[in-house]
Amino acid sequence: MLNVSGSASSGGMDAKWAALKDKNSKLKGRRRFVADVRDMKEACKEGYEGYGMRIERFREGDEEGNIEFKLVKGDQPIVAINLLVSDTSEYPAHHTFFAFSPDSDLPPRVESVIENLSSAKSSSIPETINKILLDLSKSSESKGKHVAMNESQDTDEEEGDDTDYEAYEDLDYQFGMVADNVTSAVSPQRLQHDFLEVVAADFRPGLIRFGTDDFVLTVSQPVINLSIPPHVLMAWDRRLLTTSHHLTLLISGMRGTYPPIKPDGTLNVGQVGQSLNLEFKVGLTRRYKPGREQTGEIIRNFGLVERDDEIGATLDGGGAAGAGESEWGLGEDEDGPMMEEDIPKPLVETEEDDPGRFQSFSLSSSLESLLNQAFVKVLGYRIKFGLGWAGAEALLAEVERMQSKPEDVFARLKNVMMEEDREERTVAQTYHLPHDPLLNREPNAELNLPLIAYSYLVRRMTLCTRYCPVCHNKLKMQYEALKPYVCDSKLCAYQYYSYNRGPSLEYEIQTNPESVDLLVSLTYIAAAEGSLEDPLPTGLGLRVPMPNGSIQSRVPNPTGFGMVGPVTTAMVPPGFPGYNNVVVPADASVSADPVADPRDGLVDLDSLALPEMRAAIVKLIDSIPSIAKIKAHLDRKVKAGKSRPKLRDVDPSVLPAAWSILRWCIASSTAYLEEITEQEDLIRNVEAPWRQFRFSVGAPDTEGKFKTALQAAQQSNANAATYPSLYAFHGSPARNWHSIIRHGLWFKTIAHGRAYGNGVYFAKEGSISMGSYAVKSQTCWRNSNIRPNSCAALAEIVNLPQQFVSNNPYFVIAQTDWIVCRYLLVNGAPKEEDLENTTFGAEEEAKKKQKKDDKVPFVTLDPAQPITLANHKVQIPEPSHKIDKLMRARREEYCEEDYDEDDADIFAAKEVLSRKPMEVIVIEDTPPPPDVGLSQRGGVDDWEHSPDWVQECMQHVMPPPAEASPMATMALQRELKAILKEQERARSLKELGWYMPPELIGDNLFQWIVELHSFEKSLPIAKDLVARGVNSLVFEIRFPPAFPHAPPFFRIIKPRFLPFIHGGGGHVTGGGSICMDLLTSDGWLPSYNIPSILLQIRLAISNLDPRPARLATNWDQPYGVHEALEGFRRAATTHGWKVPEGLERLLR
Ligand SMILES: [Zn+2]
């Protein structure tokens, strides 16, 4: 058996023991005891081992005859033991050792070994220690790898080794136990240390066990805590904010080894010499970590079926992931790779089902492939070459490109790498990047893999639009998009669309069908009217029908006033006929090259010239069924186990290439669009047939840069200080919006010379932009439900018109940081429901009216810059209103749950850290200033906190407790957060009955000041308080390091109560401490929270039986600490309650 070999290798006690055992045998009594302690201490300093265990920190205790030491196996602490000799004069023949352990929650096996010591026959210290080690190792051996985890183990002690071992194989084991004396490659100290660092970084660590010695680590944080603007998150994937989620990283493949990585960044070797194979998964979870079962399913999919799973995660759970078709593109199905149109697993309807689920989202597969392929290498380069993330990434890209050694590449291109790092520091000014755990790292310091990996993940997620989601290289584009987009490489484009690395088309159709319709329609118009240029759906291997015509490009007029059109478009009235589409018959000279395959009549799209390509795209889109029809098909419920409805089944006659074009229309759009239908969100006086869409475009830091520009304007200009921004319309022909949505408003507009200067043009009167600029389309996708024919944007602009290129008659703005798009107004067909609703009448009207009455915050516009539509004043609801509401809802939903047992065990592992107060004490939520809460409550006769009164009491407070523990720190952080939240939410302080002055929350979590007040007026104590003008009872609460397993200590500082012996009552001891059963070791439960204890104390003080509580005549004299302790002791003794261990230390 494993454990036998382990014991054998360390072979019982070593020679040191033999030497020690009889060394002082001439001596007797106290002298012998002192000599044995001294020698043992000496021996332990040099390393004293036996039965595979080691004795550490052997020392004399506080009292005479007391010794303390710890047993350690490998890196795992097993148990701390205190021995107390009753009488050293009888040592070593007739004394008794009282043995106990300060550790709580000891495994029963270990506990019984310690208990047996007290009844064992007298023996010297070396002999006693030998016996402890022997007994522990025996108990360990008889239990196989799993010692004393389970009471039932006692019954099968005599069974054979093999069955014994197997019987326990599936049981969870705990770190830090006398388990596993051979192979556990986990350092609980390191794990605990790293977990605490993760917590200090404001993330949540987690551990999920599998079998006996494998585990998965998780790191997460609530999505709402990410420093990515909410509208950007919504653009990336609406699921990020439509319900409360964590962004969660799973790390597996450690093969039971921790730490998995060495200080030089290379991977550790596993337990039996196999190399580690780290695997990362990125997804959304409801809880701070996914369920064990769900995690098991995910990691089982690693390795063997990885590629299929990758497809499956985003495309399909069944069909295409099957073995027969795994060679995509070569399947018997003529669909080819672009036909992976099955519905992805994350379906809307199942989203709420399972609290343990781990859900992929639009960025998952890209981030996972990055972590799996590049993270460890990049980390290694950072350490080896002292680079930042960006520099190391650039180095990796060059190493792979040049196929050379990193040393050589670095030597040649060092400056390039350094430049990358410099650039990232600039980027960090507008993107909020996570703290870099490797910053200021000591050479050879240990690496906290979970923290570093998670921090890297958040960094790359924040910057995802700056990198290609497929090859992960930095994009070299002139503009930055709101959503991630592929680089120019054809291979990347192919993978991006074929593997659906972008947003899920099915999800978009199901949840945001209007935007899908709009995007397809705009692509159609751009193609049909000759504006469709890069990006094109090439490189995707699309096989399309031979176009029977071609669509020529429009020649942009350099003096064009609008976007890409002749200057006259700006001035002509609405209804200007625009261009006649130049659809010319297919010309033999143009299409000589591409020849349709006689077998299917199809031709490669890539082989067509641009005009023909446009014609082909038009034809394909026209064959796509309406989005409403597709949605209805996808929304069909299917029986469990049946495969989801597939796109291609909507209409089998539709060519695969048409579905691919549909996918491309959505996945290549880098803007955010969502139709607004609720009354409270709608812009006033923009009526049908205009439909309103929320619209964001441009880089994710656009909003941040805009805010900075607003602030600068407010400081430099008095009018802007009051009205920092203005709104205006921007119109452009319908055929241009396909491009604007992908490149931003100004990509093509600024370059050309214009009538009023270079810049983006805006109008204050909507009909100018919406009428003449927004040249109507002459064509329309025939299955569109929206049938858009013209579009205009409504943008928010920094209110410094005197600094615009021109401000009359139009705004012409060159500073692109001064513009953010807010709305897209689309002139289209009236919505069907609007038509239907006209018959509803009263009910609907009432509903609308009611909604109207809800407070809608409107943007306060500069009276000097009003905006109008057809001379009607336009009112704009605060654009952030909706997203603020969404964020508020997410925040309210979110409640930080406790760590589960596995994780709590890691935090609770004993003596792993030094006893000095932890540095991770961070009160995350800055408590609100006290008057804010009070003013909100505003009750006339509410109790009011008096800072002076409490301050006076504070002079008598002891310094904070010196002892702390990670476990208690964690518990207290939670407790403090909860109590402050409860206080903040209370309707009145009087009702609450207690108050925790936020200004007195110090750096030490282990000491709190709380007031009790507003006692029932008829009580004698209440009358006393009023009579003396005492505002509250001021309490000090001190927490022991064993909290929450040991009770806190409550004492009153002021006022002084009439002692019991003088006729007082109310459970206040003569020293001002509160002595109640629930605050003693016997009565305490870790589940008690402070507000519930305060309530109990309040009841006790209010209790008239046997006598009511009263103030003492010297009520103004504060209680001293020592009288508090004495009073508590006396009262506990009287009642026969156990005084909590270490109470004195707590008060020292
Ligand atoms: Zn790429």
Side-chain angles (χ1 to χ4, degrees), residues 1-11 137 140-142 144 161 181-182:
M1 285 313 306
L2 292 167
N3 48 32
V4 173
S5 65
S7 305
S9 66
S10 42
S137 75
S140 164
E141 276 173 28
S142 69
D161 268 346
N181 46 5
V182 202

Side-chain angles (χ1 to χ4, degrees), residues 468 470-472 486-487 489 492:
C468 172
V470 179
C471 66
H472 308 301
V486 271
C487 70
S489 148
C492 287

Side-chain angles (χ1 to χ4, degrees), residues 1077 1080 1082 1129-1139:
D1077 183 33
T1080 63
D1082 304 306
R1129 256 188 210 296
R1130 267 199 310 277
T1133 314
T1134 312
H1135 293 98
W1137 294 329
K1138 200 172 153 201
V1139 175

Side-chain angles (χ1 to χ4, degrees), residues 906-922:
I906 292 166
F907 289 118
K910 300 267 164 25
E911 291 300 333
V912 171
L913 288 160
S914 67
R915 284 191 153 233
K916 76 174 167 70
M918 301 275 314
E919 281 168 349
V920 293
I921 298 174
V922 178

Side-chain angles (χ1 to χ4, degrees), residues 470 488-496 539:
V470 179
D488 295 336
S489 148
K490 292 248 189 278
L491 195 63
C492 287
Y494 182 82
Q495 288 196 32
Y496 184 70

Side-chain angles (χ1 to χ4, degrees), residues 546-551 582-587 609 611-616 619:
M546 200 62 190
N548 44 17
S550 67
I551 299 168
V582 197
V583 180
V584 295
D587 177 344
E612 295 167 305
M613 206 181 272
R614 290 185 188 127
K619 207 169 167 186

Side-chain angles (χ1 to χ4, degrees), residues 307-308 311 325-331 336-337 340 494-495 498-499:
R307 172 166 250 182
D308 287 344
I311 300 167
E325 288 177 48
S326 62
E327 286 295 308
W328 39 266
L330 297 175
E340 311 291 359
Y494 182 82
Q495 288 196 32
S498 305
Y499 289 105

Side-chain angles (χ1 to χ4, degrees), residues 897-944:
E897 57 194 317
D898 288 350
Y899 286 96
D900 73 2
E901 244 174 67
D902 283 344
D903 299 327
D905 280 350
I906 292 166
F907 289 118
K910 300 267 164 25
E911 291 300 333
V912 171
L913 288 160
S914 67
R915 284 191 153 233
K916 76 174 167 70
M918 301 275 314
E919 281 168 349
V920 293
I921 298 174
V922 178
I923 297 163
E924 292 154 51
D925 292 346
T926 317
D931 52 346
V932 169
L934 289 173
S935 68
Q936 277 170 350
R937 290 181 194 107
V940 184
D941 62 348
D942 201 355
W943 176 85
E944 258 188 68

